[in-house]
Amino acid sequence: MGRHRSDPMGLARLALAVLAALGVVTLLVIGGRALLTSLETPEQPERERAAVQPTASAQAPTVRIECVADTCPLVTVRVPGGDVLQYRDMSRGEEVSYFQPELDVVLTDAATVRVTENGKPRAQGKAGAREAFTVRGRGA
């Protein structure tokens, strides 16, 4: 009877197949975790979320803007003579709040957003009307 000899090429193929399978499983796990993380992450960028957070709890924001249309064209919020905090379109249900002492706001279509100044609703603008105004915080 002959002795049984292992085939070195067969072992190499088996090892390569196992490594390939492990690679596929690893990619699936990484992709699945990335997908779950992206679904849990709010749409606002980290820098913008930091600017939006109140410095004191229960403080009304200087300005709060909520999009009430499917798309709210170009909404601009900036610190007078300083940083631009927002310069972009918004989508339905999206809202932003800013707590800086003074803010300049420009709405391309004032009827598409609901604005609150220091906790008080601002009158709704007319459809297609551009509005520009300055909001001062209660302490300013």
Side-chain angles (χ1 to χ4, degrees), residues 62-124:
T62 306
V63 71
R64 179 182 169 277
I65 303 169
E66 178 186 1
C67 180
V68 295
D70 286 336
T71 300
C72 299
L74 191 57
V75 175
T76 305
V77 180
R78 71 181 194 91
V79 175
D83 292 337
V84 175
L85 304 175
Q86 176 168 315
Y87 182 80
R88 62 180 175 82
D89 294 353
M90 295 175 68
S91 44
R92 182 179 296 277
E94 183 180 355
E95 59 183 69
V96 292
S97 297
Y98 297 99
F99 295 83
Q100 285 75 2
E102 186 175 356
L103 295 164
D104 289 335
V105 179
V106 179
L107 308 171
T108 302
D109 185 346
T112 61
V113 295
R114 186 176 302 132
V115 178
T116 306
E117 297 178 0
N118 298 303
K120 296 178 183 165
R122 178 180 174 87
Q124 188 81 23

